Amino acid sequence: MTSGDAMTPWLTVIGIGEDGFAGLGRKARRALLDAQIVTGAPRHLSMLPARLRARREPWPRPFDVAHVANWRGTPVCVLASGDPMLFGVGATLARHIPAGEMHVIGAPSSLSLAAARLGWALQDVQPVSLVGRSLATLNAHLRDGARLLVLSRDGASPAEVAAMLCANGFGDTLMSVFESLGGAGEHRIDATAQQWGGREVEALNLIALTCRVDANGRSLALSVGLPDDAFLNDGQLTKRDVRAVTLSRLEPHPGALLWDVGAGCGSIGIEWMRSHPTCRAIAIESSPERQAFIAHNRDALGVPGLQLVAGRAPDALQGLPAPDAIFIGGGVTVPGVLDACWSSLRPGGRLVANAVTLQSEAVLVEWRERHGGTLTRLAISEVQPLGGFDTWRAALPITLWDVTRPRVSADGAGS
């Protein structure tokens, strides 16, 4: 085979439901009959008939893609639950094995089956996986009226979800828990989160939620600029209106990484990650008390994946992955901070820095003269009481510098 030839697919990823081998189509059965090796979870391997000649290999623990990649060129079948490309091993394998070497034969996912049972339009439902993820991930999606399909970790997951819903003021949420979807033992349990208690179910289950906020709950908006009291803080917080403007200048986009330098209570990094499920953020903060605020807030607001780096810039920035965007909420006068951030920012990346003092503003003016960008003055006033009347009280004005690092062309010149 020459280097320009496409390799014949040697790997077939097969989605298998609770109806087992009998529920597979002709192509999937043919692939299993032709395979030399079949790998998957022991539960899936046990569904296969004895007449298959392929060697059966259970998944290694912990799972490693090399377990499959080492068989390259050998006819291999991988068994997965339902649709392998939806929170499944097929998507994991596709990140490491060229598409031309892999053939995927999907089955209806548990999400599809649950939506069909409930009469829900699947495109209007938010899927959430708790498999290998923190329960706090669910917090990002709790809004009054939202419909969620939650992939459970185990039989205790529904009780854990119900307890969390009640703790967050969503005790009136309707829960439909499906056991063994698509199999002979399929069973459905309906209850509100308040009614669920500590009941355990079969390990293989899916939770459907119709979120309902109760009198003590709070349904946070999808827009940026959450209320200030949504964050546990000591006053070191980018206030709501300034935060909304700052995030609009940072321009979050899917998969992008943000450095939140001098993160305070973590509000910018948290809202960055809430803007899209694939957005990533690293919060750099030197104060132990504020680090505790960040750890609390990231879970409470549903982004437990926010990375916390304990330390002070610029030293704490060494060795971190290159960011697509950087926010500096304080510390622009610290020697080396802006230099380290600018040199680390990816070409085409965004940097936003806020200043309150004249000294920090002077630094931003100097950097704008060197690198361009936009300077904006934000002056916000709110009505507050004055005796028996009301008057405007002005907050300290904020100077905001936002700039895009030039992309580098083929000849090395900035574009």
Side-chain angles (χ1 to χ4, degrees):
M1 181 178 68
T2 66
S3 58
D5 293 332
M7 186 173 185
T8 301
W10 55 272
L11 174 62
T12 304
V13 185
I14 298 173
I16 189 168
E18 285 302 291
D19 49 1
F21 187 79
L24 296 178
R26 181 179 300 175
K27 288 184 178 179
R29 293 189 184 198
R30 183 73 263 167
L32 286 167
L33 289 169
D34 293 340
Q36 294 184 20
I37 301 170
V38 179
T39 185
R43 180 175 69 88
H44 291 145
L45 293 175
S46 68
M47 296 176 175
L48 302 180
R51 68 175 183 274
L52 294 182
R53 62 181 180 85
R55 187 172 88 242
R56 306 181 190 201
E57 293 277 353
W59 287 130
R61 293 180 178 271
F63 175 73
D64 186 355
V65 172
H67 172 73
V68 175
N70 289 338
W71 295 321
R72 178 173 266 108
T74 301
V76 176
C77 281
V78 167
L79 297 179
S81 294
D83 184 349
M85 305 305 289
L86 182 68
F87 295 112
V89 71
T92 302
L93 290 168
R95 290 194 288 268
H96 301 274
I97 295 173
E101 299 182 24
M102 186 169 70
H103 181 49
V104 179
I105 304 174
S109 68
S110 58
L111 302 184
S112 297
L113 294 174
R117 306 291 190 270
L118 293 160
W120 290 0
L122 195 56
Q123 70 270 15
D124 298 331
V125 178
Q126 176 66 50
V128 182
S129 177
L130 299 181
V131 180
R133 295 172 174 84
S134 169
L135 181 66
T137 303
L138 194 58
N139 283 330
H141 307 286
L142 298 184
R143 294 178 187 87
D144 195 37
R147 286 177 168 177
L148 311 178
L149 291 176
V150 183
L151 299 175
S152 291
R153 289 191 296 260
D154 51 35
S157 293
E160 294 172 353
V161 168
M164 191 192 76
L165 289 168
C166 292
N168 289 342
F170 281 80
D172 293 336
T173 295
L174 299 178
M175 300 177 58
S176 294
V177 177
F178 294 92
E179 300 172 298
S180 303
L181 259 172
E186 180 177 320
H187 183 232
R188 172 177 171 176
I189 308 168
D190 295 312
T192 67
Q194 295 179 65
Q195 296 167 340
W196 190 268
R199 178 185 340 187
E200 289 208 15
V201 299
E202 294 291 331
L204 188 68
N205 70 86
L206 179 143
I207 311 166
L209 302 177
T210 301
C211 296
R212 291 182 178 173
V213 67
D214 58 37
N216 299 315
R218 187 178 198 176
S219 183
L220 294 175
L222 285 167
S223 58
V224 297
L226 295 178
D228 292 344
D229 61 4
F231 301 91
L232 192 63
N233 69 89
D234 61 356
Q236 188 69 18
L237 166 76
T238 302
K239 299 300 192 291
R240 181 179 192 171
D241 298 305
V242 176
R243 191 181 337 120
V245 173
T246 298
L247 284 158
S248 72
R249 301 295 179 92
L250 285 167
E251 300 179 6
H253 59 271
L257 172 65
L258 170 77
W259 284 2
D260 186 358
V261 180
C265 70
S267 62
I268 293 291
I270 288 169
E271 290 217 48
W272 169 277
M273 290 186 65
R274 282 172 61 92
S275 70
H276 193 273
T278 63
C279 281
R280 300 166 293 139
I282 301 174
I284 299 95
E285 176 54 54
S286 61
S287 164
E289 181 182 14
R290 290 170 185 161
Q291 292 164 17
F293 291 152
I294 294 171
H296 171 273
N297 291 332
R298 66 183 176 185
D299 282 355
L301 293 168
V303 290
L306 182 144
Q307 181 182 346
L308 175 57
V309 172
R312 189 183 303 276
D315 294 342
L317 306 179
Q318 295 180 15
L320 299 182
D324 302 287
I326 299 175
F327 172 64
I328 309 173
V332 295
T333 58
V334 176
V337 168
L338 271 168
D339 295 280
C341 289
W342 185 254
S343 63
S344 299
L345 187 64
R346 292 183 185 276
R350 302 278 295 162
L351 187 149
V352 176
N354 290 357
V356 177
T357 67
L358 289 174
Q359 289 77 14
S360 56
E361 182 180 273
V363 172
L364 298 187
V365 170
E366 178 193 353
W367 273 75
R368 177 180 174 272
E369 291 175 352
R370 292 162 54 186
H371 298 288
T374 302
L375 280 174
T376 304
R377 172 70 62 85
L378 301 177
I380 298 172
S381 298
E382 293 184 349
V383 171
Q384 294 184 6
L386 179 64
F389 299 91
D390 294 320
T391 190
W392 290 103
R393 295 284 187 186
L396 290 174
I398 304 291
T399 299
L400 183 150
W401 178 52
D402 68 282
V403 63
T404 299
R405 184 174 180 183
R407 298 184 185 275
V408 179
S409 62
D411 60 3
S415 59

